Amino acid sequence: MRILHTSDWHIGRTFHGHSTLVALGEVLSAMVEQVRENHVDVVIVAGDVFDSATPAGPAYTLLGDTLVGLHEAGARVIVTSGNHDSAARLGFQARLLRDGIHVLTDPLAIGDPIVVDDADGAVHFYGIPYLEPAIVRRHWPDAPLRSQAQTMAHAMGLVREAMEENPRRSVAIAHCFAAGVEATDGLEREVRQGGLDVVPLSVFDGLDYVALGHIHGRQKLTERVRYAGAPLHYSFGEQHKERGSWLIDLGPSGELQARWLPLPVPRRLVTLTAPLDEILSEENIREHVDDWVCAVYTDTLPQTEPMRRLKERFPFCAMVQHAPAVTAAQDERSYAMRLSTAATDAERIEAFLGHVRGGEGPSDRESELIGDVLDERVAAEAVA
């Protein structure tokens, strides 16, 4: 059986204030063609279908069009909910979907697999929606569900009970933070408290394949436990991570072969780090005028209207940061203390400049100008 493992579509997410709906639609259309060209039997979407619990109308349209497209390309589709999704909103139309498209959001149905047959028999797909311990413990009051690890272990216990009653090739779909991976800084919403909510890999032992979601970069934790990552870049921290899906061939006895299918990147992401004038060089403009740009300028002092200047040359500049290459030594005294010990107006101005410019006092030329202005003031007061 041939399975395509994808996750974390985050339909409706913005990128630094810009809609990603058109770009994501382009990528998901390419995925549909991959399903058709590779004769995929089952497509798995492992959670975070939407970016918000209250997605706007166009997000539903894109989801519906994509699910129908995948099914018409010849695949059964199995979708589970993630921590960004509202299980109720994602699952409300599950019974209305055409045969062959399954949206699994009910914790009480974890032990009821979706059964897909091939020439070698049945494969059981167990969908585990994102399980928030505080919400789902009411379903299993006798189980100690205080962490993601405990909750996922309980869910996998239900899966194993079903596997024992009806042993078949088995695939689990889950949305969690598994041991052994690193999240992208500032991107994946926390589903852990300290280290307690990291799910041990041993929880997933015994399955022929485990399709995980939540981490936005592809990860192979074991041969049979993998993250596919997101199909679109949603952060500059992801810019060097490939976008794509895992193509899994599951043999008649559970033997497994995995191949990475890359997806197109509608607009590249690039981080340019240099003094502002160098970032604005003609060479950079020629190379990156059509890219999403994060500009990190290293000038010692903040520059005037850097974003305006950057967007004039890079229409898709989305982010600007000031990171001085040389940082002035910081005076450990407070600003108030420095003012109180300043004996002259020149020293007071120097303290102020150092306070607002990250420790950078006046340059030699600025000191000359300050001296000239103060001298003019003294002369004017003397005449008055």
mmCIF file of all heavy atoms in Angstrom, residues 102-119:
data_model
loop_
_atom_site.group_PDB
_atom_site.id
_atom_site.type_symbol
_atom_site.label_atom_id
_atom_site.label_comp_id
_atom_site.label_asym_id
_atom_site.label_seq_id
_atom_site.Cartn_x
_atom_site.Cartn_y
_atom_site.Cartn_z
ATOM 1 N N HIS A 102 -12.107 10.898 5.254
ATOM 2 C CA HIS A 102 -12.405 10.677 6.660
ATOM 3 C C HIS A 102 -11.754 11.775 7.500
ATOM 4 O O HIS A 102 -10.548 12.000 7.403
ATOM 5 C CB HIS A 102 -11.869 9.314 7.115
ATOM 6 C CG HIS A 102 -12.250 8.191 6.194
ATOM 7 N ND1 HIS A 102 -13.424 7.487 6.315
ATOM 8 C CD2 HIS A 102 -11.600 7.664 5.110
ATOM 9 C CE1 HIS A 102 -13.488 6.566 5.369
ATOM 10 N NE2 HIS A 102 -12.394 6.648 4.626
ATOM 11 N N VAL A 103 -12.538 12.443 8.325
ATOM 12 C CA VAL A 103 -12.035 13.457 9.249
ATOM 13 C C VAL A 103 -12.258 12.930 10.661
ATOM 14 O O VAL A 103 -13.403 12.770 11.102
ATOM 15 C CB VAL A 103 -12.746 14.811 9.043
ATOM 16 C CG1 VAL A 103 -12.233 15.831 10.052
ATOM 17 C CG2 VAL A 103 -12.526 15.316 7.616
ATOM 18 N N LEU A 104 -11.177 12.653 11.373
ATOM 19 C CA LEU A 104 -11.233 11.984 12.668
ATOM 20 C C LEU A 104 -10.909 12.976 13.783
ATOM 21 O O LEU A 104 -9.782 13.432 13.902
ATOM 22 C CB LEU A 104 -10.250 10.810 12.701
ATOM 23 C CG LEU A 104 -10.346 9.832 11.523
ATOM 24 C CD1 LEU A 104 -9.313 8.716 11.665
ATOM 25 C CD2 LEU A 104 -11.753 9.265 11.406
ATOM 26 N N THR A 105 -11.914 13.303 14.578
ATOM 27 C CA THR A 105 -11.740 14.281 15.653
ATOM 28 C C THR A 105 -12.288 13.801 16.988
ATOM 29 O O THR A 105 -12.187 14.516 17.985
ATOM 30 C CB THR A 105 -12.428 15.610 15.285
ATOM 31 O OG1 THR A 105 -13.838 15.374 15.146
ATOM 32 C CG2 THR A 105 -11.882 16.184 13.987
ATOM 33 N N ASP A 106 -12.861 12.598 17.037
ATOM 34 C CA ASP A 106 -13.534 12.102 18.237
ATOM 35 C C ASP A 106 -12.586 11.233 19.057
ATOM 36 O O ASP A 106 -12.175 10.150 18.612
ATOM 37 C CB ASP A 106 -14.762 11.290 17.835
ATOM 38 C CG ASP A 106 -15.563 10.788 19.035
ATOM 39 O OD1 ASP A 106 -15.179 11.103 20.184
ATOM 40 O OD2 ASP A 106 -16.567 10.083 18.817
ATOM 41 N N PRO A 107 -12.210 11.644 20.277
ATOM 42 C CA PRO A 107 -11.311 10.826 21.095
ATOM 43 C C PRO A 107 -11.870 9.440 21.391
ATOM 44 O O PRO A 107 -11.105 8.479 21.534
ATOM 45 C CB PRO A 107 -11.159 11.643 22.383
ATOM 46 C CG PRO A 107 -11.527 13.034 22.016
ATOM 47 C CD PRO A 107 -12.558 12.914 20.937
ATOM 48 N N LEU A 108 -13.185 9.323 21.467
ATOM 49 C CA LEU A 108 -13.792 8.034 21.813
ATOM 50 C C LEU A 108 -13.749 7.039 20.656
ATOM 51 O O LEU A 108 -14.087 5.863 20.841
ATOM 52 C CB LEU A 108 -15.240 8.251 22.262
ATOM 53 C CG LEU A 108 -15.408 9.096 23.538
ATOM 54 C CD1 LEU A 108 -16.870 9.256 23.883
ATOM 55 C CD2 LEU A 108 -14.642 8.461 24.700
ATOM 56 N N ALA A 109 -13.336 7.477 19.492
ATOM 57 C CA ALA A 109 -13.261 6.592 18.330
ATOM 58 C C ALA A 109 -11.834 6.173 18.008
ATOM 59 O O ALA A 109 -11.581 5.587 16.949
ATOM 60 C CB ALA A 109 -13.894 7.274 17.116
ATOM 61 N N ILE A 110 -10.900 6.431 18.927
ATOM 62 C CA ILE A 110 -9.495 6.119 18.660
ATOM 63 C C ILE A 110 -9.289 4.642 18.336
ATOM 64 O O ILE A 110 -8.486 4.280 17.483
ATOM 65 C CB ILE A 110 -8.621 6.543 19.854
ATOM 66 C CG1 ILE A 110 -8.513 8.077 19.902
ATOM 67 C CG2 ILE A 110 -7.227 5.914 19.783
ATOM 68 C CD1 ILE A 110 -7.831 8.610 21.147
ATOM 69 N N GLY A 111 -10.021 3.773 19.002
ATOM 70 C CA GLY A 111 -9.860 2.340 18.783
ATOM 71 C C GLY A 111 -10.617 1.792 17.589
ATOM 72 O O GLY A 111 -10.580 0.569 17.349
ATOM 73 N N ASP A 112 -11.288 2.660 16.845
ATOM 74 C CA ASP A 112 -12.049 2.228 15.667
ATOM 75 C C ASP A 112 -11.296 2.639 14.408
ATOM 76 O O ASP A 112 -11.352 3.800 13.991
ATOM 77 C CB ASP A 112 -13.444 2.859 15.663
ATOM 78 C CG ASP A 112 -14.241 2.494 16.908
ATOM 79 O OD1 ASP A 112 -14.054 1.379 17.408
ATOM 80 O OD2 ASP A 112 -15.037 3.346 17.374
ATOM 81 N N PRO A 113 -10.591 1.719 13.785
ATOM 82 C CA PRO A 113 -9.738 2.113 12.668
ATOM 83 C C PRO A 113 -10.510 2.357 11.374
ATOM 84 O O PRO A 113 -11.615 1.840 11.176
ATOM 85 C CB PRO A 113 -8.809 0.901 12.515
ATOM 86 C CG PRO A 113 -9.654 -0.257 12.963
ATOM 87 C CD PRO A 113 -10.497 0.287 14.096
ATOM 88 N N ILE A 114 -9.910 3.156 10.506
ATOM 89 C CA ILE A 114 -10.342 3.224 9.114
ATOM 90 C C ILE A 114 -9.649 2.064 8.404
ATOM 91 O O ILE A 114 -8.426 1.935 8.451
ATOM 92 C CB ILE A 114 -9.945 4.568 8.467
ATOM 93 C CG1 ILE A 114 -10.567 5.737 9.242
ATOM 94 C CG2 ILE A 114 -10.352 4.587 7.006
ATOM 95 C CD1 ILE A 114 -12.068 5.751 9.251
ATOM 96 N N VAL A 115 -10.423 1.213 7.772
ATOM 97 C CA VAL A 115 -9.883 0.010 7.138
ATOM 98 C C VAL A 115 -9.771 0.240 5.639
ATOM 99 O O VAL A 115 -10.756 0.592 4.976
ATOM 100 C CB VAL A 115 -10.770 -1.214 7.424
ATOM 101 C CG1 VAL A 115 -10.185 -2.456 6.778
ATOM 102 C CG2 VAL A 115 -10.923 -1.409 8.939
ATOM 103 N N VAL A 116 -8.552 0.057 5.133
ATOM 104 C CA VAL A 116 -8.305 0.207 3.691
ATOM 105 C C VAL A 116 -7.679 -1.095 3.204
ATOM 106 O O VAL A 116 -6.675 -1.555 3.748
ATOM 107 C CB VAL A 116 -7.373 1.393 3.396
ATOM 108 C CG1 VAL A 116 -7.189 1.553 1.886
ATOM 109 C CG2 VAL A 116 -7.929 2.679 4.001
ATOM 110 N N ASP A 117 -8.273 -1.666 2.173
ATOM 111 C CA ASP A 117 -7.792 -2.938 1.631
ATOM 112 C C ASP A 117 -6.902 -2.714 0.417
ATOM 113 O O ASP A 117 -7.106 -1.782 -0.370
ATOM 114 C CB ASP A 117 -8.966 -3.817 1.232
ATOM 115 C CG ASP A 117 -9.789 -4.266 2.430
ATOM 116 O OD1 ASP A 117 -9.202 -4.855 3.352
ATOM 117 O OD2 ASP A 117 -11.009 -3.987 2.444
ATOM 118 N N ASP A 118 -5.915 -3.615 0.297
ATOM 119 C CA ASP A 118 -5.146 -3.690 -0.939
ATOM 120 C C ASP A 118 -5.036 -5.159 -1.319
ATOM 121 O O ASP A 118 -5.712 -6.017 -0.742
ATOM 122 C CB ASP A 118 -3.778 -3.013 -0.803
ATOM 123 C CG ASP A 118 -2.856 -3.701 0.190
ATOM 124 O OD1 ASP A 118 -3.216 -4.776 0.710
ATOM 125 O OD2 ASP A 118 -1.754 -3.175 0.449
ATOM 126 N N ALA A 119 -4.175 -5.490 -2.264
ATOM 127 C CA ALA A 119 -4.082 -6.867 -2.749
ATOM 128 C C ALA A 119 -3.603 -7.831 -1.676
ATOM 129 O O ALA A 119 -3.810 -9.046 -1.785
ATOM 130 C CB ALA A 119 -3.140 -6.918 -3.954
#
